[in-house]
Amino acid sequence: MAHRVTGVLIFFFLFVHVLDTALVRVSPEDYDKVVATYKTPLVAVLEYGLVAAILFHALNGLRVIAVDFWSQGPRYQKQMFWAVAIVWGALMLGAIYPVLGHAAREVFGS
């Protein structure tokens, strides 16, 4: 279920991204306003959520491929899920500062 939810979330992000990028041709001033909102701490938290969704979707996708195409895949799917969860958690911990560092400095000061 989480794989499907993250896939839908990523799709909606891409849809909004195409729309806001297309805005540059229609109204550059409005595009600049939209881009300015992307520099807020709230959007940084949403970006972190996007990183989480993409990373989980990618790692779990590899697990799904292994379950489908490896003859021993169904037998080890539970262990592979926990491996995905551990790798995802470790990578998300590593992504905290690069993604949320600017927002933390803006909220709490340098």
Side-chain angles (χ1 to χ4, degrees):
M1 182 57 92
H3 191 73
R4 292 177 180 168
V5 169
T6 57
V8 169
L9 291 173
I10 294 165
F11 171 78
F12 282 119
F13 163 76
L14 290 174
F15 181 71
V16 170
H17 179 63
V18 168
L19 288 177
D20 72 6
T21 303
L23 189 59
V24 75
R25 301 289 262 160
V26 177
S27 174
E29 298 82 20
D30 288 337
Y31 174 78
D32 290 339
K33 290 176 189 174
V34 169
V35 169
T37 64
Y38 290 164
K39 297 176 183 174
T40 64
L42 175 63
V43 174
V45 172
L46 294 174
E47 271 183 345
Y48 189 71
L50 177 64
V51 169
I54 291 171
L55 190 57
F56 178 80
H57 192 78
L59 293 171
N60 195 57
L62 294 173
R63 183 190 70 84
V64 169
I65 290 169
V67 168
D68 286 347
F69 292 106
W70 179 36
S71 62
Q72 299 296 315
R75 175 183 292 169
Y76 294 109
Q77 69 177 326
K78 193 176 209 178
Q79 292 89 337
M80 287 189 290
F81 173 78
W82 286 110
V84 164
I86 291 167
V87 170
W88 177 82
L91 291 173
M92 288 308 297
L93 283 173
I96 288 174
Y97 182 75
V99 177
L100 295 176
H102 173 72
R105 283 188 299 277
E106 191 167 317
V107 171
F108 301 113
S110 295

